[in-house]
């Protein structure tokens, strides 16, 4: 089985918390992640939106674009509005041969608002979730028809956060909307990570390998503290530096024959947790557990020739 290892630039620059951003260029971010061993990088705010500009930067760094976040609003807004907003991103991602666009629901979400405590997250009743699942399926099918598949990201503070919400969303949506599985977000939400992979592995097309510090999470006052407070306190980290057993997690993916990207997405203070050091630590741990699980990790970055 083959796998690829990528990173998210959120270790270097945080879009929601300016104080958790290092003053490094895109080129330096790519250089550091590649020197640690990663062959892909997800899109961040310092990436250009013109493929003619982006491709030479990726080529010089010997990395590929392995995904990127789209802030979806389908819980509140219609298909046409979201299609219009995602269309330029689809064309960009096709031009640089990215594998998928990550759909993150921001409608009603408290994830980006530091004034909103964790326990004020939005909740959908069953009828709302049914309608939401149908809408996401239609949107995912449309994006695939345009040549770029989506990957739905369950997320803290959003309408699909808990294991039960994920189960309900998956039951009311179809294969037209694949799943991004994020062990860190599900563990933060109190879910059973391995059980969720068992239930939903057939729909998973992208994986974020985010670790958590459960001591930080368990100490949170969810009636007072926000998701961004948790991030600033160090709730997330790279595999090998937190509480999750990525040996068991990666083995579970191997058991189901998953082949594709495993992306380290670990937002934390770059001054307290230097991104290059954390990238090296995460890569070393992932190589250990992936080798044990029988994966061959691809080492080619930007396509040759």
């Amino acid at each position: 089985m083959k796998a690829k290892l990528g990173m998210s630039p959120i270790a270097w620059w945080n879009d929601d918390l300016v104080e958790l951003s290092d003053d490094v260029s895109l080129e330096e971010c790519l250089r550091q992640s590649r020197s640690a061993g990663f062959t892909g990088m997800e899109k961040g705010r310092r990436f250009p939106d013109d493929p003619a500009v982006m491709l030479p930067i990726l080529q010089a760094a010997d990395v590929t674009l392995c995904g990127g976040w789209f802030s979806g609003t389908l819980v509140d807004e219609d298909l046409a509005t979201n299609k219009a907003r995602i269309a330029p991103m689809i064309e960009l991602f096709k031009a640089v041969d990215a594998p998928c666009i990550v759909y993150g629901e921001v409608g009603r979400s408290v994830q980006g608002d530091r004034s909103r405590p964790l326990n004020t997250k939005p909740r959908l009743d069953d009828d709302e979730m049914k309608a939401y699942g149908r809408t996401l399926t239609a949107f995912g099918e449309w994006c695939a028809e345009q040549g770029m598949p989506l990957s739905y990201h369950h997320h803290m503070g959003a309408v699909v956060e808990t294991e039960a919400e994920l189960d309900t969303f998956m039951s009311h949506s179809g294969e037209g909307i694949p799943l991004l599985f994020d062990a860190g977000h599900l563990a933060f939400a109190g879910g059973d990570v391995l059980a969720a992979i068992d239930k939903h592995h057939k729909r998973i097309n992208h994986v974020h390998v985010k670790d958590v510090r459960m001591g930080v999470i368990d100490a949170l006052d969810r009636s007072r503290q926000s998701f961004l407070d948790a991030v600033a306190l160090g709730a997330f980290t790279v595999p090998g530096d937190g509480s999750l057993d990525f040996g068991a997690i990666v083995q579970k993916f191997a058991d189901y024959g998953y082949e594709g990207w495993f992306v380290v997405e670990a937002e934390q203070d770059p001054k307290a947790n230097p991104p290059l050091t954390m990238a090296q630590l995460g890569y070393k741990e992932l190589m250990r557990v992936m080798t044990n699980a029988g994966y061959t990790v691809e080492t080619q970055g930007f396509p040759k020739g």
Side-chain angles (χ1 to χ4, degrees):
M1 292 180 299
K2 294 182 179 179
K4 299 179 181 181
L5 295 183
M7 276 202 76
S8 166
I10 203 166
W12 286 265
W13 344 292
N14 192 300
D15 291 354
D16 295 313
L17 292 171
V18 176
E19 66 269 30
L20 299 191
S21 294
D22 215 351
D23 187 22
V24 300
S25 66
L26 169 60
E27 289 80 1
E28 178 62 14
C29 169
L30 295 174
R31 187 196 69 77
Q32 290 185 21
S33 66
R34 188 68 181 97
S35 72
F38 295 96
T39 58
M41 179 69 77
E42 290 196 343
K43 188 177 184 294
R45 59 184 165 87
R46 293 182 182 171
F47 277 74
D49 290 324
D50 182 347
V53 179
M54 188 190 293
L55 280 168
I57 295 173
L58 295 174
Q59 184 173 20
D62 191 33
V63 299
T64 61
L65 191 74
C66 63
W69 176 279
F70 171 74
S71 293
T73 56
L74 284 166
V75 73
D76 287 322
E77 296 188 305
D78 60 20
L79 281 167
T81 300
N82 281 268
K83 286 178 180 180
R85 285 199 302 109
I86 203 172
M89 193 172 183
I90 288 175
E91 294 310 308
L92 171 64
F93 275 43
K94 286 164 59 178
V96 300
D97 199 27
C100 65
I101 291 174
V102 175
Y103 182 98
E105 182 61 60
V106 299
R108 308 186 197 178
S109 177
V110 303
Q111 68 200 62
D113 186 346
R114 204 163 184 176
S115 70
R116 300 285 301 280
L118 283 158
N119 71 353
T120 64
K121 73 166 289 300
R123 302 183 189 280
L124 302 183
D125 63 30
D126 198 53
D127 287 340
E128 289 175 314
M129 190 67 86
K130 286 179 181 177
Y132 182 63
R134 288 194 298 268
T135 302
L136 258 296
T137 302
F139 189 60
E141 290 170 346
W142 179 83
C143 289
E145 288 168 1
Q146 310 313 303
M148 182 52 53
L150 292 184
S151 193
Y152 185 89
H153 194 334
H154 57 98
H155 200 285
M156 286 298 300
V159 293
V160 179
E161 174 191 278
T162 67
E163 184 179 357
E165 288 169 336
L166 177 59
D167 292 346
T168 304
F169 171 76
M170 294 297 281
S171 70
H172 293 318
S173 60
E175 293 182 2
I177 181 68
L179 176 66
L180 182 155
F181 187 79
D182 190 312
H185 276 278
L186 195 65
F188 192 147
D192 185 327
V193 172
L194 298 181
I197 299 172
D198 283 334
K199 286 182 284 189
H200 305 304
H201 64 91
K202 291 181 180 179
R203 296 260 297 276
I204 295 171
N205 72 338
H206 204 58
V207 177
H208 278 177
V209 278
K210 182 198 296 284
D211 209 340
V212 294
R213 298 184 177 101
M214 288 307 300
V216 173
I217 291 171
D218 290 343
L220 292 169
D221 179 349
R222 298 192 184 210
S223 68
R224 184 176 62 85
Q225 291 174 292
S226 68
F227 173 71
L228 293 179
D229 288 335
V231 170
L233 287 167
F236 296 128
T237 186
V238 299
D241 188 52
S243 306
L244 298 182
D245 181 356
F246 275 94
I249 292 167
V250 169
Q251 184 62 59
K252 184 70 74 172
F253 279 109
D255 291 344
Y256 287 115
Y258 172 83
E259 292 187 300
W261 284 98
F262 290 85
V263 180
V264 174
E265 190 207 31
E267 59 266 50
Q268 49 189 330
D269 185 346
K271 295 178 180 63
N273 303 276
L276 175 57
T277 300
M278 302 309 290
Q280 292 167 334
L281 193 161
Y283 186 82
K284 180 180 179 181
E285 175 65 7
L286 285 173
M287 287 298 293
R288 182 186 73 81
V289 299
M290 298 189 83
T291 299
N292 289 344
Y295 277 108
T296 298
V297 176
E298 296 187 14
T299 58
Q300 178 179 302
F302 195 88
K304 301 297 187 288

